[in-house]
Amino acid sequence: MSTLTTVKEVVVFVDPYSTGCIIAQEMSNRGYLVVALWTIGFSDEMKTHIPNSCSSLKYFLEMTQVESLDETAANLRSKLEPHSIVACIAGGEAGVDVADALSENMGLMSNGTAIPNRRDKKIQQELVKAAGMRSVRQAGGKKVEEVQEFLETEEYPIVLKPTESAGSDGVKLCHSYDEAKEHFELLMNSQMVNGGECPAVLCQEFLKGKEYVVDHVSRDGIHKTVMVWVYDKRPANGSAFVYFGCVPI
């Protein structure tokens, strides 16, 4: 007697953790098979960051990315047959680059790779400036010599951070050249909280005032603002920037 397999639609989440799990849970509730694709070097500790509301979330499949994009796509298709992959999205900050590249490779709806690294905060500000909007004064690089002029001429305090930081990881308010140089070298020899080494350091002017968050969704040229928040950040535990929460506007 043959057994018929019900073909279902699959959504692949790249590095689902924290609030990304909430989206995965919602997709599961709507009847999709949910897959977790972990990027190379992603922290095992970060995989445990699952909201209490998602304690029942079960992945149909968990697998790890391989070096080749084509091979990763082939592995997914092979392991998921006969089911149909209909979307590949980032489940967290660390998964953005792979989700963009993999969704494009698999012919799914995608942000694409026209912007080489959307997580790079230096590139983000360059794009803001190119669009004619006010942007942050900045300099970035892998060696102190590449940002030397900025460190010597910019008014202090200034902010230093990894170009691909998330959740204030490695972000420090520096009040002198020596402090900035020391933190630059520390970052270039540190591992980021999501896993992997710091690719480069970004030095930026310190913007005083409230920090807002705009939740925005774009699809096929249609743009919608769905929420606006203001961060509640305060000095604590020796750090200048500690999240206490978000206040809706």
Side-chain angles (χ1 to χ4, degrees):
M1 180 183 295
S2 62
T3 301
L4 296 177
T5 300
T6 301
V7 177
K8 292 190 174 183
E9 294 183 325
V10 180
V11 178
V12 177
F13 285 84
V14 183
D15 290 343
Y17 65 101
S18 186
T19 50
C21 296
I22 297 175
I23 304 175
Q25 179 72 74
E26 180 62 24
M27 299 305 288
S28 177
N29 293 343
R30 296 189 182 198
Y32 294 91
L33 298 180
V34 176
V35 170
L37 175 67
W38 305 110
T39 55
I40 297 171
F42 186 69
S43 165
D44 286 335
E45 194 274 332
M46 290 300 293
K47 295 178 185 179
T48 66
H49 286 220
I50 303 171
N52 291 335
S53 62
C54 299
S55 59
S56 63
L57 175 62
K58 302 295 182 185
Y59 296 113
F60 179 73
L61 171 70
E62 292 187 56
M63 61 174 284
T64 301
Q65 166 204 12
V66 294
E67 290 288 352
S68 165
L69 203 61
D70 289 337
E71 188 177 350
T72 299
N75 286 349
L76 280 169
R77 290 191 176 101
S78 174
K79 291 178 181 294
L80 290 169
E81 287 183 349
H83 305 297
S84 173
I85 302 173
V86 295
C88 174
I89 62 179
E93 179 80 13
V96 169
D97 294 341
V98 170
D100 285 350
L102 188 59
S103 56
E104 183 179 59
N105 176 279
M106 299 181 75
L108 305 171
M109 182 174 287
S110 176
N111 290 314
T113 56
I115 298 173
N117 183 357
R118 292 194 302 121
R119 287 188 61 208
D120 190 315
K121 299 182 186 303
K122 183 173 184 291
I123 291 177
Q124 291 170 6
Q125 285 298 318
E126 289 171 351
L127 291 170
V128 168
K129 185 176 182 179
M133 296 182 287
R134 294 173 64 186
S135 60
V136 178
R137 292 193 302 274
Q138 63 178 10
K142 297 182 178 181
K143 298 180 179 179
V144 172
E145 290 76 16
E146 297 177 79
V147 299
Q148 188 82 29
E149 182 179 356
F150 183 86
L151 296 183
E152 292 178 342
T153 59
E154 183 62 29
E155 180 181 354
Y156 282 83
I158 62 174
V159 177
L160 265 69
K161 64 182 74 172
T163 53
E164 297 180 7
S165 67
S168 291
D169 178 28
V171 179
K172 184 176 183 179
L173 186 65
C174 298
H175 294 82
S176 69
Y177 171 84
D178 289 340
E179 186 179 9
K181 182 179 178 181
E182 180 181 0
H183 191 58
F184 187 105
E185 293 172 346
L186 173 66
L187 289 176
M188 287 306 301
N189 290 281
S190 300
Q191 185 178 54
M192 295 189 294
V193 67
N194 286 336
E197 297 179 349
C198 176
V201 175
L202 181 58
C203 309
Q204 294 181 322
E205 66 171 309
F206 175 51
L207 300 179
K208 301 176 183 178
K210 294 181 179 181
E211 182 177 354
Y212 294 88
V213 184
V214 180
D215 290 338
H216 200 79
V217 179
S218 299
R219 176 179 174 180
D220 297 334
I222 299 174
H223 313 288
K224 295 184 178 181
T225 298
V226 296
M227 194 64 188
V228 180
W229 311 77
V230 60
Y231 271 135
D232 178 9
K233 284 185 180 180
R234 311 173 214 164
N237 303 322
S239 174
F241 311 106
V242 175
Y243 292 92
F244 280 76
C246 284
V247 180
I249 300 300

